[in-house]
Amino acid sequence: MEKFKIAFIGLGLIGGSIAMRIRKKFPDAEIVALNRSDATLKSALADGIINNGTHEIDDSFRNCDYIFLSAPVDTNISFLEKLKPFLTEKTILTDAGSVKGKIHKAVNDILPDAHFIGGHPMAGSEKSGYANANDHLIENAYYILTPSDNVTDDEVENYKAFVTKLDSIPLVLSPKDHDYVTAAVSHMPHIVAYSLVQTVMETDSPEEYMKMIAAGGFKDITRIASSDATMWEQICLENPENIRILIDEFMQRMRRFDDFIKDANGSELHKSFDEIKNYRNSIRDGRKGALPKIYDLHCDIIDEAGAIATIATILSTQGISMKNIGIIHNRTYEQGALHIEFYDEASKSKASQTLSRHGYTVFPD
Ligand code: NAD
C-alpha cells in the first residue's frame, strides 16, 4: 500500500473529514496539519488522525505528496507564499474550497510553478469544525477536480485514482465550469433558502402563525438557510458574476409564474409544474451532491403514550443511532406522523427494514 505524506492547512469540517478518510483508507499515511486552534490539533493527534500538528508552515511540510488547503479561501491564499520553499516536483497542491476562480488565480500569481489541482468535495453540512468531521462525509460524494495548466494528464489520473480509493467519485471540470455549475445547484439555492425564510420572518403576523406551522416540510426545504453566515458571505463575494446570472435566471422564472397566476393561466402553470416534476424525479439519488444530504424517513405511528419510546427502543436494540426524532404536526409535504433522521444511509436503510418488520408503515423519501 502506498505510504503517502499529506499535509493540511485547516483541519475543520472538510479538512478533518478528508484527513479521517485518508487515515481510514491509508493507515500508514503520514499526515501533518496546520491549524489555528490548539484544541483541534490535540484532538486530531489523540484520535490518531494526524502524526504532527503545527501552527505555522515549517519543515514538516517538506516532501509531501499532497498538500490540502482546507481553511477558508482567503486564509488558504495567505499561506501560499510561505509554502513556496516546500513544494517539490512530486507535490500536488490542492484545495477544498467551494469557489475555484480566485484560488486558481492566486496560485498562478504566487506559485506559478506549483502542480495545482483544485478540489471540491461535494459534501458538507450546516455544521463546521473538526468536532463535526467524520470519516464518511466524502464517501460516495462527487469530488470535483479542477486541474491547472501546470499539471500533466498523469498527475490528474493519479489524483483521480486517489479520490476513488477514498470512495469518492472524481469529476474533472475547468474552474470556470465548476463555478457556474455550483452557482446553479448550491450557491443560488442557498440565497433562495435564505430569502424564503426571510419572507416568512418579515411577513408573519404578531401571533407568528407562519412560524408555528413552518415546522416539518418548510423547515426541511429551507434547511440550508442554517448554514454558516461567514462562509456564505465569502462564497457570494468570491463567485459574484455566476451567482448574479443565476439569480437573474431564477427571478425571470418567478416573474413568469407570477404572470401565469395573475392571468389565471392554469394550463401554463400545470404544464410547467408537470415538466419540472418530471425533470426533478429524473435527478439521480443515492450519491451525495452539491447540497448536504439528509438520511431520514417518515413513519406512521398512533399518537399514544410511549409510541416514540417504543420506536427508539426497537432501533437501539438493533444498534441503530438516531440523529433526531420528532412528531410532524404540519404534514403538508410528507406522509407519516413521525420523522426520524439518521447519520448515514446504512442506518436509514436498516431502520426502514426493522420498522417494516415490526409492522410500521415506513415512507423512506
Ligand atoms: P471549518 O470552519 O469547519 O474549518 C476551517 C478550519 O480552518 C478550522 O479548523 C479553522 O481553525 C482553520 N483556520 C481558519 N483560519 C485559520 C488561520 N488563519 N490559520 C490556521 N487555521 C485556520 O470550515 P469548512 O466547512 O471545513 O470549510 C473549509 C473549506 O472547505 C472552505 O474553503 C469551504 O469553502 C470548503 N467547503 C466547505 C463545505 C461545507 O459544507 N462546509 C463543503 C465543501 C467545501
Side-chain angles (χ1 to χ4, degrees):
M1 185 170 285
E2 299 99 317
K3 190 174 181 323
F4 290 114
K5 178 170 180 189
I6 296 172
F8 285 84
I9 293 181
L11 201 68
L13 176 77
I14 299 297
S17 296
I18 297 173
M20 289 176 187
R21 191 76 194 164
I22 293 173
R23 175 59 73 226
K24 188 175 173 124
K25 297 303 226 171
F26 300 99
D28 294 336
E30 183 183 347
I31 304 181
V32 176
L34 177 153
N35 202 63
R36 194 173 37 185
S37 134
D38 212 28
T40 293
L41 294 177
K42 281 193 177 131
S43 298
L45 281 165
D47 294 344
I49 301 302
I50 62 171
N51 304 82
N52 191 1
T54 171
H55 293 297
E56 51 197 85
I57 310 267
D58 57 22
D59 260 357
S60 53
F61 276 73
R62 245 177 239 298
N63 273 323
C64 286
D65 296 286
Y66 290 94
I67 297 179
F68 282 83
L69 303 165
S70 40
V73 177
D74 284 337
T75 309
N76 291 336
I77 291 173
S78 72
F79 281 106
L80 292 180
E81 188 72 51
K82 293 181 201 141
L83 277 173
K84 207 178 237 171
F86 300 100
L87 300 180
T88 65
E89 275 302 301
K90 75 160 187 173
T91 309
I92 296 294
L93 181 65
T94 185
D95 79 323
S98 307
V99 182
K100 286 286 159 259
K102 193 169 176 181
I103 187 73
H104 270 270
K105 182 173 183 322
V107 172
N108 196 38
D109 291 347
I110 302 168
L111 296 172
D113 297 329
H115 297 227
F116 180 67
I117 302 178
H120 182 191
M122 296 279 104
S125 99
E126 299 81 69
K127 308 243 171 68
S128 57
Y130 178 82
N132 291 299
N134 64 64
D135 69 10
H136 52 268
L137 189 81
I138 64 165
E139 184 183 16
N140 206 18
Y142 284 104
Y143 200 120
I144 300 181
L145 301 182
T146 59
S148 64
D149 294 339
N150 222 16
V151 292
T152 63
D153 290 349
D154 278 354
E155 285 173 323
V156 176
E157 286 308 313
N158 287 342
Y159 196 178
K160 279 169 72 179
F162 180 66
V163 163
T164 304
K165 282 188 187 152
L166 299 179
D167 300 320
S168 298
I169 307 145
L171 175 66
V172 176
L173 292 178
S174 70
K176 192 164 172 271
D177 285 347
H178 169 278
D179 288 354
Y180 188 61
V181 168
T182 53
V185 295
S186 170
H187 307 168
M188 187 266 293
H190 274 78
I191 294 164
V192 172
Y194 283 124
S195 309
L196 279 172
V197 177
Q198 189 179 43
T199 307
V200 165
M201 182 173 81
E202 292 179 356
T203 60
D204 206 353
S205 61
E207 298 84 3
E208 297 196 323
Y209 291 134
M210 290 182 189
K211 190 175 184 187
M212 198 185 298
I213 62 167
F218 182 84
K219 210 171 164 202
D220 285 352
I221 62 168
T222 56
R223 181 171 41 93
I224 53 177
S226 293
S227 303
D228 181 66
T230 308
M231 183 169 126
W232 281 94
E233 174 198 331
Q234 287 174 0
I235 289 174
C236 288
L237 299 183
E238 281 159 21
N239 197 16
E241 291 86 7
N242 290 314
I243 295 176
R244 293 196 58 220
I245 290 170
L246 285 149
I247 287 180
D248 191 45
E249 291 283 348
F250 181 75
M251 287 186 355
Q252 284 177 36
R253 280 153 190 84
M254 290 297 279
R255 278 192 292 272
R256 200 187 304 152
F257 279 125
D258 186 42
D259 285 344
F260 293 157
I261 293 168
K262 181 182 71 188
D263 301 340
N265 192 340
S267 65
E268 282 302 326
L269 277 174
H270 188 279
K271 194 168 143 233
S272 299
F273 293 156
D274 214 38
E275 268 172 26
I276 295 165
K277 180 178 112 177
N278 288 337
Y279 179 78
R280 197 252 177 206
N281 290 347
S282 75
I283 298 174
R284 280 183 62 184
D285 210 356
R287 287 172 171 180
K288 293 173 187 167
L291 300 178
K293 191 165 160 51
I294 42 172
Y295 306 99
D296 63 344
L297 54 78
H298 293 85
C299 165
D300 258 342
I301 53 163
I302 295 164
D303 191 5
E304 58 188 16
I308 295 187
T310 306
I311 289 203
T313 307
I314 291 171
L315 295 180
S316 75
T317 52
Q318 291 297 311
I320 303 167
S321 302
M322 291 179 294
K323 194 173 176 187
N324 240 316
I325 184 165
I327 298 282
I328 306 282
H329 294 292
N330 171 0
R331 262 167 258 153
T332 317
Y333 298 96
E334 55 253 313
Q335 296 172 290
L338 189 70
H339 176 236
I340 319 174
E341 213 179 312
F342 303 92
Y343 287 95
D344 51 40
E345 185 62 44
S347 309
K348 171 186 160 174
S349 155
K350 192 169 170 194
S352 175
Q353 287 162 16
T354 305
L355 293 176
S356 300
R357 244 193 348 266
H358 279 79
Y360 290 95
T361 306
V362 177
F363 307 95
D365 284 310

